[in-house]
Amino acid sequence: MAASNDTVADRSNVSTSSPYEGRYDNLEWVRVNELLQQRHEEDFRQKVIRKTKDNPFVPIGILATTLALGLGLRAMNKGNSRNSQLMMRARVLAQGFTVGALIVGMFVAAGKSTRNAGKP
């Protein structure tokens, strides 16, 4: 009986955890911290350039909307109601294009993140 008690006592002293337990969690936090610091170091100009490269149609839509609005207001100020109406309709179409570009960009970004989530 004494021998069996020694074996049980020996088993209780043996660590069941892996020597690598916790190391992977620490490495993941280091990687996340590096990514957060990279994003934080980015200034406004760099962020605009990165976002424009990700979805170039949004800035095009913004410029088209602004141009149509400006030309429409100018025509309205001059009293040219026909061109003013035409430009306001063009503004609505440009706004629709911009919203569509935003929605497509969101779907593309979501698709990229799901494809990258499966990679190690």
Side-chain angles (χ1 to χ4, degrees):
M1 274 277 193
S4 66
N5 286 339
D6 289 338
T7 337
V8 172
D10 289 340
R11 287 184 189 160
S12 64
N13 291 335
V14 174
S15 174
T16 58
S17 65
S18 169
Y20 299 106
E21 189 174 309
R23 283 189 182 179
Y24 295 111
D25 294 336
N26 290 339
L27 292 176
E28 181 143 351
W29 279 107
V30 169
R31 180 163 158 50
V32 168
N33 192 19
E34 287 173 355
L35 289 173
L36 287 174
Q37 286 177 355
Q38 285 175 350
R39 295 287 183 178
H40 188 65
E41 292 172 0
E42 183 177 59
D43 66 351
F44 180 74
R45 184 172 184 254
Q46 292 170 338
K47 184 176 180 178
V48 168
I49 291 170
R50 179 178 53 85
K51 293 281 188 178
T52 301
K53 286 180 183 177
D54 288 346
N55 194 353
F57 294 112
V58 172
I60 292 170
I62 291 170
L63 290 174
T65 302
T66 305
L67 180 67
L69 178 64
L71 292 175
L73 290 174
R74 186 172 149 214
M76 187 185 305
N77 192 23
K78 287 185 175 183
N80 189 348
S81 62
R82 184 177 183 285
N83 280 345
S84 176
Q85 279 293 326
L86 187 66
M87 286 298 113
M88 289 302 128
R89 289 178 186 159
R91 177 191 55 85
V92 170
L93 289 174
Q95 282 178 321
F97 174 80
T98 305
V99 170
L102 282 169
I103 292 171
V104 169
M106 287 182 350
F107 280 118
V108 169
K112 284 182 184 178
S113 67
T114 55
R115 276 185 263 139
N116 290 339
K119 294 181 181 178

